[in-house]
Amino acid sequence: MRDRAARYALLPLRVFLGVTFVYAGLDKLTDPAFPSASGSGSIGEVMRGVRDTSAIPGLVDLALLSPVGFAVLLALAEIAVGLAVLAGLLTRLAAAGGALISLSLWLTVSWQVTPYYYGNDLAYLMAWIPLILAGAPYCSLDSRIRSWRTAWSSERSRRSRRTA
């Protein structure tokens, strides 16, 4: 029982982060105010509001060059990361993408939150690290692909020994 629990220990984290990032991306895309350059609740307003207190104001300036494009890109990236992690497809790469999104949001939007543990982006960043390190070895497309490759490689090796 203990071995089985250890084997699937990262599955709840994968599901939580995957669902959360898909939801966050969809929420951004369906909120009529968010993907706008200005106005209440817009990405432009948020970025201008945190610019002077962020750790990297230049990153905020970069987003402000095209706030609408940035908002759509952020939402689509969150959805892509969330779906990939849920499916367990290229999990380490998807988790690295999720960590990069979380790091960017922490250094810009959440940087001024005091005390630091009130901001959730740092916690999300830390939550991505186990998935970057371990991937999705079970209940994932990555593990299915790995088993297909192993079977295909074994079969190919067996055939080449017979023909030799």
Side-chain angles (χ1 to χ4, degrees):
M1 184 70 164
R2 180 178 280 174
D3 289 339
R4 181 175 282 176
R7 180 181 299 167
Y8 297 104
L10 292 179
L11 192 56
L13 184 61
R14 262 182 55 210
V15 170
F16 170 74
L17 289 171
V19 168
T20 299
F21 266 56
V22 168
Y23 179 79
L26 290 174
D27 190 44
K28 287 173 178 67
L29 287 179
T30 58
D31 180 351
F34 183 77
S36 301
S38 61
S40 179
S42 70
I43 185 71
E45 179 184 290
V46 171
M47 291 288 111
R48 281 187 292 280
V50 300
R51 192 222 175 265
D52 295 334
T53 58
S54 74
I56 307 175
L59 195 57
V60 177
D61 290 339
L62 189 61
L64 284 170
L65 290 175
S66 178
V68 175
F70 175 73
V72 171
L73 181 65
L74 176 61
L76 293 175
E78 287 176 336
I79 292 168
V81 163
L83 291 174
V85 168
L86 282 171
L89 180 62
L90 302 172
T91 308
R92 285 187 169 112
L93 181 62
L100 185 60
I101 291 169
S102 297
L103 176 64
S104 301
L105 292 172
W106 177 54
L107 292 173
T108 56
V109 179
S110 302
W111 186 253
Q112 77 282 357
V113 174
T114 306
Y116 76 91
Y117 51 82
Y118 281 172
N120 61 354
D121 294 312
L122 180 58
Y124 282 111
L125 173 60
M126 294 298 114
W128 285 113
I129 293 172
L131 294 178
I132 293 170
L133 295 173
Y138 298 100
C139 300
S140 67
L141 289 175
D142 288 343
S143 65
R144 178 75 60 159
I145 291 167
R146 195 169 27 260
S147 68
W148 288 337
R149 281 185 178 166
T150 302
W152 183 77
S153 179
S154 296
E155 179 62 30
R156 201 172 100 197
S157 177
R158 220 180 354 258
R159 284 185 196 162
S160 66
R161 279 184 282 182
R162 278 190 252 160
T163 59

